[in-house]
């Protein structure tokens, strides 16, 4: 066992694959609202996320020596339990499969067998869920017969239908929703693998046994179950224009990482929290995250609003007259007033809080929109109506917060991982000297950096092991250009991680074209 600090908000535990499920199951019991008798929930524990040979422990606060010691003792106790007995009660599932997949003939030929032999080999194997990753409810199933091991397709499909049963490398899997993918498609199932409206949204979870059963029953077309509609009964605000992009965000959804649901939430959490406090909301209340600005809205009744984040102009229009107003303070709009949030002058994201907090249905405990999984209320559009909740908290008795306009922090420290030492020294210098710029293709999933390709002094394995990911992780794809993960990142990934930002939210305010410098902290 080895504990590896993974940024300021997580610890990566390296364990033999057969012990991952045992430890994860034990930790999951501790995160329940009502742990077993004699158990307590450690105050530092948020959740555990299993992967192929590692377990990610998400933390409520930065790790301390006492916390790491307690975690080590807990893992030692959990691994003392024989793996079989630790997973006996995790359940088993039979999945009916229509073996009519687009690639079944090609796979049979590549494996040197008939289609009938292929179906028998795939359906008679005993599978166990190793972990979930890639997208919500996507379970990696171990137990695929060796004669069916094939590399992923050279060219991934842009869209794989929901319910597709597929194989790649040494895994089998089912696509819970339509998404891009490079696996070989053997068939389809009617089973709904992920439904956020269920108490247990993911049908399959780590440690479960799975069996595929050939079926000739009529197929039922599956539809993705993601965002729920929002129809406020008493709207407070109408959207005139959403600008480039305006999303509902709170502090995210915790506790669903093992089902491959990322935390999401406001990217610049300090700005989100400040905006909510200025209008007397709880920090967990939902607000708006606007890329660049240019959001315009109309108050349908008197309401108090605050704008934080990247600096930029803000205007109020009443009776056709536009006047400048301050950000970083509580501003009351009368019914009919319009608010115009101009483009950010530096930085990228602006945050808007409405007193009471935006009222939309919670999905898995959060009102945030996750751009990767499409969970949560859809992006705002013109003519949308927004309702707000009520809050018992008073508005703070301050005029505002003094914020000196400045450029975003483009020089950022990071905690290096062991992979950092395997990178060529030229790459160390390139990151520190500011030879990388933010790509326009960046989004909430990840910030791509343009610049020279970094190369390895000691190359990693050709196929990297899939491991848990965190916000602020610096991945290095095969093209050698760093990718910094944002709040909507996949919960697992196969690219090597060379470091994790000491401030995991730092990249939130990096505009396209900005030059960034990344310095390892010793």
């Amino acid at each position: 066992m080895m504990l590896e600090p993974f940024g300021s908000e997580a610890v990566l535990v390296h364990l033999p694959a057969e012990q991952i499920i045992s430890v994860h199951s034990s930790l999951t019991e501790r995160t329940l609202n009502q742990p077993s008798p004699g158990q307590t929930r450690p105050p530092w524990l948020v959740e555990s996320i299993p992967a192929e040979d590692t377990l990610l422990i998400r933390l409520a606060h930065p790790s301390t020596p006492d916390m790491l010691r307690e975690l080590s003792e807990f893992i030692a106790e959990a691994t003392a339990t024989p793996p079989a007995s630790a997973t006996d009660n995790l359940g088993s599932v039979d999945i009916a499969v229509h073996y009519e997949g687009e690639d079944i003939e090609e796979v049979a030929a590549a494996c040197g067998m008939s289609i009938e032999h292929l179906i028998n080999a795939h359906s008679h194997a005993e599978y166990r869920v190793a972990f979930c990753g890639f997208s919500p409810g996507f379970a990696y199933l171990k137990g695929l017969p060796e004669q069916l091991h094939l590399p992923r397709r050279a060219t991934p499909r842009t869209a794989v239908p929901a319910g597709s049963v597929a194989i790649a490398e040494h895994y089998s899997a089912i696509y819970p929703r339509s998404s891009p993918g490079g696996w070989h498609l053997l068939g389809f199932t009617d089973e709904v693998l992920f439904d956020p409206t269920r108490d247990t949204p993911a049908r399959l979870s780590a440690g479960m046994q799975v069996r595929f059963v050939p079926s000739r029953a009529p197929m039922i077309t599956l539809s993705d179950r993601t965002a729920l509609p929002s129809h406020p009964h008493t709207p407070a605000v109408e959207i005139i224009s959403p600008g480039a992009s305006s999303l509902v965000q709170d502090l995210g959804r915790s506790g669903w990482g093992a089902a491959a649901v990322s935390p999401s939430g406001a990217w610049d959490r300090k700005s989100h929290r400040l905006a909510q406090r200025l209008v007397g909301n709880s920090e967990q209340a939902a607000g708006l995250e606007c890329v660049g600005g240019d959001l315009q809205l109309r108050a349908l009744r008197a309401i108090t609003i605050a704008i934080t984040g990247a600096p930029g102009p803000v205007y109020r229009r009443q009776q056709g007259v536009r006047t400048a107003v301050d950000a970083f303070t509580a501003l009351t709009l009368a019914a009919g007033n319009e608010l115009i949030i101009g483009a950010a002058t530096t930085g990228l994201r602006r945050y808007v809080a409405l007193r009471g907090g935006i009222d939309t249905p919670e999905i898995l405990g959060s009102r945030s929109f996750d751009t990767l999984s499409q969970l949560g209320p859809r992006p705002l559009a013109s003519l949308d109506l927004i309702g707000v909740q009520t809050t018992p908290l008073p508005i703070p008795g301050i005029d505002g917060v003094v914020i000196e306009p400045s450029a975003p922090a483009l020089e950022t420290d990071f905690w290096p991982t062991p992979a950092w030492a395997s990178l060529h020294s030229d790459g160390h210098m390139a990151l520190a000297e500011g030879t990388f710029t933010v790509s326009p293709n960046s989004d909430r999933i990840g910030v791509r950096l343009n610049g020279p390709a970094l190369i390895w002094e000691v190359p990693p394995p050709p196929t990297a092991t899939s491991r848990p990911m965190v916000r602020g992780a610096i991945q290095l794809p095969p093209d050698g250009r760093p990718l910094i993960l944002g709040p909507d990142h996949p919960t697992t990934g196969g690219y090597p991680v060379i470091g994790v930002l000491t401030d995991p939210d730092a990249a939130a305010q990096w505009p396209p074209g900005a030059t960034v410098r990344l310095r390892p902290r010793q």
Side-chain angles (χ1 to χ4, degrees), residues 260-491:
V261 179
S262 69
S264 193
W267 196 339
D268 183 347
R269 287 173 287 191
K270 291 180 181 177
S271 293
H272 171 86
R273 289 186 171 108
L274 175 58
Q276 301 302 327
R277 291 199 305 269
L278 284 170
V279 297
N281 288 346
S282 161
E283 292 182 350
Q284 286 76 26
L288 299 179
E289 178 180 274
C290 313
V291 174
D294 291 333
L295 168 68
Q296 299 182 42
L297 54 84
R298 178 183 295 110
L300 301 179
R301 59 178 174 82
I303 188 167
T304 302
I305 293 180
I307 300 98
T308 62
V314 181
Y315 304 97
R316 173 168 49 195
R317 181 187 289 129
Q318 49 188 350
Q319 297 180 347
V321 178
R322 192 178 81 166
T323 57
V325 294
D326 292 331
F328 299 96
T329 188
L331 173 68
T332 299
L333 298 180
N337 284 184
E338 296 177 4
L339 190 70
I340 303 168
I341 301 171
T345 51
T346 60
L348 185 61
R349 288 178 168 82
R350 311 193 73 180
Y351 289 82
V352 181
L354 309 179
R355 180 162 171 78
I358 293 178
D359 186 14
T360 65
E362 286 192 354
I363 298 179
L364 304 183
S366 172
R367 295 180 169 86
S368 290
F369 177 67
D370 183 337
T371 60
L372 178 64
S373 68
Q374 300 292 296
L375 289 175
R378 59 167 173 73
L380 293 184
S382 298
L383 304 182
D384 277 351
L385 302 178
I386 296 178
V388 296
Q389 299 177 300
T390 57
T391 177
L393 301 176
I395 296 177
I398 59 175
D399 293 330
V401 179
V402 177
I403 300 293
E404 293 292 337
S406 60
L410 300 177
E411 295 187 8
T412 303
D413 292 347
F414 67 92
W415 299 109
T417 65
W420 173 252
S422 300
L423 198 63
H424 194 281
S425 58
D426 288 350
H428 296 175
M429 293 178 59
L431 285 171
E433 291 179 354
T435 55
F436 286 89
T437 59
V438 176
S439 168
N441 293 325
S442 302
D443 54 26
R444 282 177 51 88
I445 298 170
V447 173
R448 302 175 185 275
L449 300 184
N450 291 332
L454 306 185
I455 60 175
W456 297 98
E457 188 78 48
V458 180
T463 301
T465 301
S466 187
R467 288 184 171 170
M469 293 292 130
V470 294
R471 183 189 306 212
I474 309 170
Q475 287 188 321
L476 194 62
D479 65 5
R481 290 170 177 82
L483 171 66
I484 301 175
L485 297 183
D488 296 349
H489 64 84
T491 54

Side-chain angles (χ1 to χ4, degrees), residues 20-35:
I20 294 289
I21 302 302
S22 300
V23 178
H24 169 66
S25 298
S26 298
L27 283 168
T28 299
E29 289 183 8
R30 297 294 182 97
T31 60
L32 298 176
N33 292 328
Q34 296 179 330

